[in-house]
Amino acid sequence: VQSLPGGPAVRQLNLTSPATKIAEEQHFLHWMMLIICAVIFIGVFSVMFYSIWKHRKSRGAQPASFHESVAVEVAWTVVPFIIVILIALPATKVIVAQKDTTNADLTVKVTGYQWKWGYDYLNGEGEGLSFISTLDSSQRAMSDSGDVSQAPADYLLRVDNPLVVPVGKKVRIITTANDVIHSFAVPAFGIKQDAIPGFVRDTWFRAETVGDYYGQCSELCGKEHAYMPIHVKVVSAQDYTNWVGEQKKIAAAKLDDPSKVWTLAELMARGEKVYAANCAACHQANGKGAGPIKPLDGSAIVLDEDHAKQIQVVLHGRQALGMPSWSQLSDTDIAAVVTYTKNNWSNKTGQLVQPAEVVAQRGK
Amino acid sequence: MSATTHGTTPYYYVPAESRHPVMAAIGLFFVILGAGQWINGHEWGKYSLALGLVWWLSVLYQWFRDAIRESESGLYGRKIDLSYRWAMSWFIFSEVMFFGAFFTALWWARSHSIPALGSLDNQLLWPDFKAVWPSAVPGATGSPAGIVEPFETVGPFWLPTINTALLLSSGVTLTIAHHALRADQRSKTIAFMWLTVLLGFIFLCVQGYEYYHLYTEANLKLSSGIYGSTFFMLTGFHGLHVFIGMLMLFFITLRLQKGHFTAERHFGFEGAAWYWHFVDVVWLALYVLVYWM
Amino acid sequence: MSAVLDHHGHAADHAHDSHAPSGWRRWVFATNHKDIGTLYLLFAFTMLMVGGVLALLIRAELFQPGLQLVNPELFNQLTTMHGLIMVFGAIMPAFVGFANWMIPLQIGASDMAFARMNNFSFWLMIPAAIMLVASFFMPGGAPAAGWTLYAPLTLQMGPSMDAGIFAMHILGASSIMGSINIIVTILNMRAPGMTLMKMPMFCWTWLITAYLLIAVMPVLAGAITMTLTDRHFGTSFFNPAGGGDPIMYQHIFWFFGHPEVYIMILPAFGIISQVVPAFARKKLFGYASMVYATSSIAILSFIVWAHHMFTTGMPVTGQLFFMYATMLIAVPTAVKIFNWIATMWRGSMTFETPMLFAVGFIFVFTMGGFTGLFLSMAPLDIQLQDTYYVVAHFHYVLVAGSLFSMFAAFYYWSPKWTGVMYDETRGKIHFWWSLISFNVTFFPMHFLGLAGMPRRYADYPMQFADFNAIASIGGFAFGLAQVYFFFFIVLPVMRGQGAKAPQKPWEAAEGLEWEVPSPAPFHTFETPPKLDVTATRVIG
Ligand code: HEA
Ligand code: HEA
Ligand code: CUA
Ligand SMILES: [Cu+2]
């Protein structure tokens, strides 16, 4: 395989090459530490190995009898103390810069889900855009197969919908999570911020060059922890504007009229896609669930005549069981996927759930 | 080394092999096995739990019986007495740290998580949540998601205050008993010990009544959000410690009646008394931090 | 009994029977500190093997990208159980084992202060270990939330999580009782003349370690108790919907967790402080400053915990405070390293296996300490947090630190325990094999971490493949080295095969443990020995 620009390089030895000022500062700090520590290390261990060489019994060394020296001991307490202060100073400067999330040009809320990322553009150009980003499913399947001989350079890093941001603009990332703690990390930007359910945290970056940058979820979040990559596409201001325009159009088209009445076949076709993209990771394609995850095939709630029960579970999740809330899906998507589960596998209920029912349940 | 047969106190008595430790560990095995299964819906778990507890307690009974026998037959010298003192002090220190974890949880919830959940930034997630601690404003639940049913909070009046008085007086009666023991007035000691145990028992009854009242009338439960969680966790573990302390005092009193302890040497008594005072101090902290604030 | 013991062993003329009890009762009902020490060490070694096999499964899966052996759920279980078993089952009990064997011998005490409770501490670990290992076979598999057991992921785990929590409670109780025993033994049972400042360093470091344990194990118990009630009794400690906070778990956990990592290294410092002077044939340099440094590390360890949480998003003042405090720990640690080197300076050194491991310890532990310093630098930790850099860091301090010190201790003291000398050549093979394969395993992880490979990953991008393959090969080689250690070094000495050990096999070793015969008789120092002014020799 080849190195992936903006992502890991083959046999990479140092930090990922920086695409922001902060990441550059981190490079500097790392080199500084490396040099200071190497000097101390070589100094200290030259003395030790010299002594090992010189003061061996086999060379006839006679033991000296000193075992104390206040002067020396004070000296080697004070000197490390001073060194520590010296390395703390530049670090302090960088922390303060890292933490300054004010005056952002663009604010994006990043939500960690098990196991995907949700992006909501809150402020700035593109406000209102909102989408979910998941790992390419063929790569996920390749991982399971265990055979990676055909793996591409972006193996486990390719997503369906990358986060797109303009170059040279200060982007504030607000993280939160829906279920458990995740962590949003992009090494080239020098950022890593835990996404904590129920709380918001923030960080920021200003990408200096156009390109693709990659990261991975960096907090253990369950079984698919290794499979929720981050792909940030940094584009020029013009490209960004175009992209936003395009997305707005697609979003408008997607925003199905929730009062539309669908046929079973239509809902099944759509539901299958929604299921594969969102539900199959846990409940499995065969609907049998796995481990603690409940099966849908044959489930009483799924078979129930009362559609409200299942819609509520989908909307609000069952946190205790690990089922997240899916309220971010559109009404039509939820209606489709519920219909799909009610009529797939051995579940042949013939029940049809229309988007209007989901709308009605949302309020409750 | 087996017990000395000729009655002189050894320099430092080391007991002979004993089956108590391994038996106690087996008992606890059934306790944790049963508890872990029971809370996951396996009914047999509770039998294992019960078996384990009974087993463990009976081992403890025998263990303490042996230790008391050794003590009364004069095998424990001054050194061992000192060892027990150190051990009890460090044990109480560990208990302090244990309560520390829960007091920290209370402090963190009040001065950090609730304010953060209601902060400006967090309005993104919980737009309607007002960051007030439930005891500060009637009707507040401290639950951003609104998943907690309304409940009444608990103030210091009157049950907790009565309980404070009960515990404080039990501290006094215990001290009187101690002085009496040192003055070799055994019947006075015993009388005041019973009084102390009784006060502890009444404390527990009042506490039980308060819980009953909270659950049935104030709708305050373990599941009442962070307020209920910290309230019941702190008061509950404290109650458990009162119960343990009371048992200690109870057995010490029985031993006093049997004629154990002397005016000069009665560490068993003192150890239990230290524990009781520790439980007392924890209560004072609770009284101020949980009920008043 | 030997002549050395005679002049005080019989002085009191007790009526006791000094023969050792025999058969299984000797072990199961043991009250003898030496026997209990042996039990602890055997238990710890078994758990090292179990944890090691889990590690090798992890390494086997990570040998190349793609999932070949385990599914991601099982992978997380392996990681979690590897961490838990190594920390609570292998490293901590092993140090308690050394403490049991050596502290009474080193301070001239007849046994531990509470002999029965001592055995209780040991036996409590068995139910806990059974529960932990059994959790693999419970529905949903073993806990898979990492050894740090972060909420709210723990709230999603199956029944095995509760088994794990109860097991940790029991282990905590065991540790607390063990620590009380050790503290009381040290404070109350020193032979007359052995003042605190004349005490061997190993006792000093254990005194401080025991204090740390008593202070923080209850805090861990509190944290996991809250997890338990959140899981089953409807509390909201870590649930923001009810006003709780998952980050609160992390603060409480790391208030335990950071002192915990020093719990795993301070006794190691003690061991090294015994071994280096013995083989340099020179007194430990700066004894008093060693004591002060150890105490400072212990005190500082309480105020640095949030360096594990730089990426949770703390206020800038918090980041700065925890960064400065953490960096400060380098100062007392520096004192220790320098003192050891000053002890070697102008000594008359030989390099038997204990000394090799001690020197190896100093060398490799320092590398781990330096990477710790990199991590303590908050802006840099943002890059390194939760990557293999952290994994490299803590294996440098835990494996080449704690584990190597135990090897040193084993080679140093096993002649006293068993009465036979281990085979020096094999010891040297074990050392070099371990040292090299250790570095092959864990050094590449620094690169992986810098390049951004997250930890607890069952599969990883192709670019990380080469270093992972090297690490896996190294891991198996390191594991094999320990198998060699067991079969070719430990087993023979346990069976008594080897040259007979003299009472004091190391010519310049100091301390009361060398005043009793090898193997150490069942009962030692039943009446307090009379010591010379240095408190290192028995004079009557
Ligand atoms: C034995 C265990 C042990 C020890 C001794 C240490 C020692 C240190 N550790 Fe480590 N650490 C762990 C075990 C240990 N650690 C574990 C298990 C984790 C991961 C937990 C998890 O997440 O699962 C961890 C994680 C960890 C982190 C969090 C990383 C992250 O998750 O992002 C940090 C950050 O500050 C850190 C720092 C340090 C520091 C500064 C020291 C210092 O004590 C080191 C001091 C030593 C030296 C500095 C070297 C010798 C000194 C000199 C030769 C003198 C001259 C030097 C100078 C003046 C610079 N450690
Ligand atoms: C406390 C001590 C300790 C010790 C001694 C070790 C020892 C080892 N550790 Fe461990 N490790 C931890 C503590 C420790 N670890 C902790 C706390 C974590 C974090 C867990 C978490 O993230 O929650 C961790 C995580 C961890 C990871 C990261 C997993 C992940 O993030 O997904 C890896 C990966 O390589 C690893 C590897 C190893 C290896 C190869 C060894 C080797 O040293 C092991 C050597 C092997 C043996 C001693 C066994 C002997 C061999 C046999 C009995 C059979 C031999 C057979 C053949 C060789 C054929 N460890
Ligand atoms: Cu999401 Cu790890
Ligand atoms: Cu730490």
Side-chain angles (χ1 to χ4, degrees):
Chain A
V1 284
Q2 265 139 36
S3 300
L4 180 68
V10 177
R11 287 189 287 282
Q12 180 180 333
L13 297 179
N14 201 340
L15 295 165
T16 306
S17 38
T20 63
K21 282 265 154 43
I22 292 284
E24 253 167 52
E25 299 276 353
Q26 288 166 335
H27 266 253
F28 167 77
L29 289 177
H30 183 242
W31 274 116
M32 180 192 87
M33 288 296 282
L34 214 51
I35 292 167
I36 293 178
C37 289
V39 168
I40 298 176
F41 194 82
I42 292 170
V44 170
F45 287 100
S46 322
V47 176
M48 189 178 90
F49 284 115
Y50 174 80
S51 173
I52 285 178
W53 174 247
K54 193 78 189 186
H55 307 138
R56 267 178 310 153
K57 193 177 179 205
S58 55
R59 293 182 88 248
Q62 288 300 314
S65 64
F66 65 88
H67 57 84
E68 226 161 24
S69 159
V70 177
V72 179
E73 285 168 69
V74 169
W76 67 40
T77 312
V78 173
V79 172
F81 186 70
I82 295 171
I83 298 176
V84 161
I85 293 176
L86 288 181
I87 58 181
L89 289 178
T92 304
K93 218 183 69 205
V94 182
I95 297 191
V96 173
Q98 268 177 333
K99 280 277 161 185
D100 176 19
T101 53
T102 53
N103 298 321
D105 301 306
L106 177 66
T107 304
V108 183
K109 177 176 146 217
V110 174
T111 309
Y113 298 91
Q114 280 171 321
W115 289 273
K116 55 181 83 43
W117 291 100
Y119 300 117
D120 296 273
Y121 289 66
L122 294 185
N123 258 314
E125 190 178 359
E127 186 174 330
L129 288 179
S130 165
F131 53 90
I132 297 258
S133 171
T134 32
L135 171 66
D136 182 280
S137 56
S138 67
Q139 293 194 345
R140 181 68 188 82
M142 185 183 290
S143 176
D144 266 344
S145 77
D147 176 13
V148 289
S149 48
Q150 303 303 316
D154 63 355
Y155 175 63
L156 295 190
L157 295 171
R158 187 188 300 161
V159 301
D160 50 0
N161 302 307
L163 175 66
V164 180
V165 298
V167 71
K169 291 278 186 332
K170 182 165 184 176
V171 182
R172 177 178 179 223
I173 298 287
I174 297 184
T175 63
T176 185
N178 191 50
D179 28 51
V180 300
I181 304 175
H182 304 262
S183 189
F184 184 80
V186 184
F189 297 164
I191 59 168
K192 181 177 292 148
Q193 177 56 58
D194 290 1
I196 301 155
F199 289 82
V200 297
R201 294 292 201 275
D202 64 356
T203 184
W204 68 276
F205 64 87
R206 188 196 300 274
E208 307 280 333
T209 41
V210 169
D212 292 283
Y213 300 96
Y214 299 89
Q216 290 176 291
C217 176
S218 300
E219 182 64 62
L220 179 60
C221 53
K223 75 180 173 70
E224 302 286 293
H225 167 51
Y227 304 105
M228 48 184 295
I230 296 146
H231 175 184
V232 185
K233 219 180 183 49
V234 177
V235 297
S236 68
Q238 186 52 48
D239 287 350
Y240 183 69
T241 310
N242 295 344
W243 177 80
V244 168
E246 232 170 80
Q247 291 302 307
K248 290 249 145 115
K249 264 187 238 138
I250 298 176
K254 259 206 196 141
L255 203 70
D256 301 296
D257 176 7
S259 56
K260 178 175 167 196
V261 176
W262 298 59
T263 67
L264 181 62
E266 283 171 335
L267 283 174
M268 287 296 283
R270 180 148 175 175
E272 187 172 0
K273 287 200 196 107
V274 179
Y275 186 86
N278 300 293
C279 319
C282 295
H283 292 288
Q284 308 299 327
N286 61 12
K288 296 257 190 264
I293 289 161
K294 292 259 160 19
L296 299 177
D297 193 7
S299 150
I301 294 182
V302 175
L303 298 177
D304 205 304
E305 284 287 340
D306 179 6
H307 301 169
K309 285 190 191 153
Q310 193 185 352
I311 298 176
Q312 282 299 337
V313 172
V314 175
L315 279 174
H316 299 300
R318 281 281 180 82
Q319 302 297 349
L321 298 175
M323 166 85 176
S325 151
W326 294 98
S327 55
Q328 78 280 2
L329 294 179
S330 78
D331 298 319
T332 314
D333 279 348
I334 293 182
V337 79
V338 171
T339 309
Y340 175 74
T341 57
K342 281 180 179 300
N343 295 287
N344 200 29
W345 313 299
S346 68
N347 301 349
K348 301 286 179 217
T349 60
Q351 296 171 26
L352 207 64
V353 179
Q354 295 294 351
E357 290 179 63
V358 180
V359 176
Q361 288 298 328
R362 274 203 197 261
K364 297 199 178 143
Chain B
M1 171 183 7
S2 57
T4 43
T5 41
H6 52 75
T8 56
T9 305
Y11 176 75
Y12 198 100
Y13 173 73
V14 178
E17 304 83 81
S18 159
R19 65 193 162 87
H20 301 325
V22 67
M23 294 305 258
I26 293 174
L28 285 179
F29 174 72
F30 287 110
V31 171
I32 60 172
L33 177 73
Q37 296 300 309
W38 189 23
I39 56 178
N40 281 294
H42 297 284
E43 284 303 311
W44 61 265
K46 66 182 169 210
Y47 302 113
S48 164
L49 176 65
L51 169 76
L53 275 177
V54 171
W55 181 317
W56 181 61
L57 288 174
S58 64
V59 174
L60 280 196
Y61 175 78
Q62 298 170 38
W63 189 335
F64 280 115
R65 190 197 54 202
D66 285 2
I68 290 166
R69 227 177 251 160
E70 287 158 7
S71 169
E72 289 302 312
S73 62
L75 289 170
Y76 288 2
R78 211 184 47 79
K79 276 261 169 202
I80 291 200
D81 195 61
L82 199 53
S83 283
Y84 277 117
R85 282 164 201 278
W86 277 118
M88 195 65 196
S89 321
W90 285 100
F91 171 63
I92 290 177
F93 173 59
S94 81
E95 292 271 39
V96 169
M97 296 308 288
F98 182 68
F99 275 99
F102 297 112
F103 277 112
T104 305
L106 174 64
W107 169 76
W108 183 264
R110 284 197 68 160
S111 63
H112 187 86
S113 42
I114 294 281
L117 284 165
S119 70
L120 212 57
D121 282 343
N122 252 287
Q123 289 199 352
L124 205 56
L125 303 177
W126 316 107
D128 309 318
F129 180 61
K130 298 274 171 303
V132 281
W133 186 250
S135 67
V137 170
T141 61
S143 160
I147 55 165
V148 172
E149 290 173 31
F151 56 83
E152 282 167 41
T153 58
V154 232
F157 302 111
W158 281 100
L159 296 183
T161 306
I162 294 171
N163 260 349
T164 310
L166 284 173
L167 268 196
L168 287 180
S169 18
S170 76
V172 175
T173 53
L174 183 58
T175 309
I176 295 175
H178 192 189
H179 282 290
L181 179 58
R182 272 201 291 215
D184 225 354
Q185 301 162 311
R186 189 159 292 257
S187 50
K188 184 174 171 193
T189 313
I190 292 172
F192 273 93
M193 283 303 285
W194 280 121
L195 189 56
T196 313
V197 173
L198 184 69
L199 287 169
F201 182 71
I202 303 176
F203 173 94
L204 284 176
C205 294
V206 175
Q207 182 88 358
Y209 173 76
E210 183 189 43
Y211 275 16
Y212 174 76
H213 164 80
L214 293 176
Y215 258 78
T216 52
E217 277 153 53
N219 198 29
L220 179 61
K221 302 186 167 130
L222 198 52
S223 54
S224 297
I226 188 68
Y227 183 85
S229 307
T230 49
F231 175 83
F232 283 107
M233 201 70 145
L234 277 163
T235 55
F237 265 113
H238 175 264
L240 181 69
H241 282 74
V242 173
F243 180 69
I244 295 170
M246 194 187 75
L247 280 186
M248 288 184 185
L249 294 176
F250 175 76
F251 284 112
I252 293 292
T253 315
L254 290 186
R255 287 184 62 192
L256 279 164
Q257 288 186 331
K258 275 188 156 179
H260 292 180
F261 304 122
T262 64
E264 295 77 35
R265 294 207 15 169
H266 45 259
F267 176 70
F269 181 101
E270 285 172 303
W274 291 354
Y275 194 76
W276 193 252
H277 290 308
F278 152 72
V279 169
D280 223 356
V281 172
V282 173
W283 174 261
L284 288 181
L286 274 178
Y287 183 58
V288 175
L289 296 173
V290 175
Y291 291 103
W292 274 98
M293 291 177 69
Chain C
M1 272 196 263
S2 83
V4 188
L5 209 69
D6 278 346
H7 50 81
H8 53 269
H10 287 181
D13 198 19
H14 271 214
H16 67 245
D17 43 339
S18 44
H19 73 88
S22 54
W24 59 272
R25 284 160 194 271
R26 167 175 178 188
W27 301 101
V28 176
F29 296 164
T31 45
N32 180 284
H33 71 100
K34 303 182 187 80
D35 285 355
I36 296 175
T38 306
L39 286 173
Y40 262 108
L41 289 170
L42 289 176
F43 172 81
F45 197 80
T46 313
M47 293 313 265
L48 178 72
M49 290 295 140
V50 176
V53 168
L54 300 181
L56 295 183
L57 285 172
I58 295 174
R59 281 316 329 162
E61 175 53 58
L62 295 178
F63 179 63
Q64 59 180 86
L67 300 173
Q68 290 85 22
L69 298 172
V70 299
N71 59 34
E73 277 151 306
L74 182 56
F75 184 88
N76 291 345
Q77 296 171 21
L78 293 175
T79 298
T80 305
M81 297 308 286
H82 163 67
L84 286 175
I85 287 180
M86 285 301 196
V87 169
F88 293 101
I91 303 291
M92 290 170 65
F95 278 134
V96 181
F98 286 109
N100 256 302
W101 249 105
M102 300 320 298
I103 288 177
L105 282 180
Q106 289 194 319
I107 62 173
S110 54
D111 205 300
M112 297 293 282
F114 304 100
R116 278 181 299 232
M117 185 169 87
N118 197 16
N119 196 26
F120 190 35
S121 302
F122 170 75
W123 280 104
L124 274 184
M125 293 193 310
I126 305 295
I130 294 175
M131 288 307 265
L132 279 180
V133 175
S135 69
F136 272 109
F137 307 101
M138 293 182 183
W147 84 281
T148 48
L149 303 176
Y150 276 7
L153 192 55
T154 41
L155 307 183
Q156 293 184 354
M157 295 289 131
S160 65
M161 191 69 234
D162 305 307
I165 288 175
F166 286 127
M168 312 266 287
H169 277 134
I170 297 265
L171 286 173
S174 155
S175 280
I176 291 170
M177 285 190 283
S179 304
I180 291 179
N181 228 329
I182 289 170
I183 294 195
V184 175
T185 306
I186 294 178
L187 290 182
N188 195 30
M189 296 180 71
R190 277 168 290 125
M194 164 111 23
T195 60
L196 281 176
M197 290 309 271
K198 283 181 186 162
M199 209 164 59
M201 271 314 285
F202 181 64
C203 298
W204 253 115
T205 52
W206 243 115
L207 178 65
I208 293 168
T209 303
Y211 159 71
L212 286 179
L213 273 165
I214 298 178
V216 300
M217 288 309 291
V219 177
L220 172 69
I224 57 179
T225 302
M226 289 187 252
T227 305
L228 186 77
T229 58
D230 267 15
R231 283 169 56 79
H232 291 286
F233 304 109
T235 55
S236 299
F237 288 106
F238 310 130
N239 176 10
D245 183 355
I247 298 304
M248 179 169 91
Y249 175 84
Q250 297 187 14
H251 280 292
I252 300 178
F253 178 86
W254 287 115
F255 183 82
F256 148 81
H258 188 81
E260 167 70 16
V261 307
Y262 291 123
I263 286 165
M264 293 188 282
I265 204 67
L266 293 185
F269 288 169
I271 290 167
I272 303 303
S273 301
Q274 306 266 198
V275 172
V276 170
F279 294 90
R281 291 167 182 73
K282 199 163 141 271
K283 273 186 76 161
L284 180 67
F285 187 86
Y287 175 92
S289 65
M290 284 301 221
V291 172
Y292 302 142
T294 313
S295 316
S296 321
I297 294 175
I299 293 164
L300 283 173
S301 75
F302 285 111
I303 55 164
V304 301
W305 74 89
H307 64 218
H308 296 273
M309 302 168 57
F310 284 139
T311 58
T312 57
M314 270 184 281
V316 74
T317 43
Q319 305 244 11
L320 290 174
F321 173 81
F322 287 109
M323 176 174 86
Y324 297 152
T326 305
M327 286 179 165
L328 268 187
I329 296 190
V331 177
T333 317
V335 170
K336 307 214 73 145
I337 305 268
F338 296 153
N339 280 352
W340 289 323
I341 293 177
T343 307
M344 294 166 143
W345 188 254
R346 294 189 41 213
S348 169
M349 279 183 274
T350 51
F351 294 91
E352 289 88 345
T353 315
M355 183 63 163
L356 285 179
F357 270 105
V359 173
F361 171 97
I362 300 176
F363 188 71
V364 194
F365 170 81
T366 303
M367 291 163 72
F370 280 142
T371 54
L373 219 52
F374 281 58
L375 293 169
S376 71
M377 186 176 260
L380 199 52
D381 183 62
I382 300 294
Q383 285 281 21
L384 303 174
Q385 211 282 321
D386 251 306
T387 66
Y388 264 78
Y389 197 87
V390 179
V391 177
H393 157 66
F394 66 72
H395 284 94
Y396 265 79
V397 283
L398 279 170
V399 179
S402 314
L403 197 58
F404 273 26
S405 82
M406 289 180 207
F407 291 142
F410 172 84
Y411 289 107
Y412 183 60
W413 281 317
S414 64
K416 180 58 59 193
W417 303 340
T418 61
V420 296
M421 295 303 290
Y422 62 87
D423 185 318
E424 194 59 57
T425 321
R426 292 181 181 177
K428 293 206 161 87
I429 293 175
H430 177 222
F431 170 72
W432 287 107
W433 187 354
S434 295
L435 183 76
I436 293 169
S437 58
F438 166 80
N439 280 289
V440 173
T441 314
F442 295 105
F443 201 77
M445 292 189 189
H446 292 112
F447 302 134
L448 289 172
L450 285 166
M453 176 170 162
R455 60 193 279 208
R456 298 163 172 172
Y457 261 31
D459 192 7
Y460 49 84
M462 300 302 291
Q463 289 81 2
F464 302 133
D466 294 352
F467 287 133
N468 268 300
I470 296 173
S472 293
I473 293 169
F476 277 84
F478 186 81
L480 226 52
Q482 308 327 316
V483 175
Y484 174 81
F485 171 63
F486 183 72
F487 283 106
F488 292 90
I489 296 163
V490 178
L491 268 191
V493 298
M494 276 172 66
R495 295 211 182 102
Q497 297 161 352
K500 187 164 171 3
Q503 174 165 330
K504 185 165 137 186
W506 320 115
E507 64 176 307
E510 271 193 356
L512 299 184
E513 69 261 43
W514 310 113
E515 302 286 296
V516 302
S518 302
F522 197 66
H523 294 298
T524 38
F525 302 127
E526 281 178 273
T527 45
K530 266 212 179 54
L531 304 181
D532 72 348
V533 283
T534 62
T536 56
R537 301 299 308 256
V538 174
I539 50 174

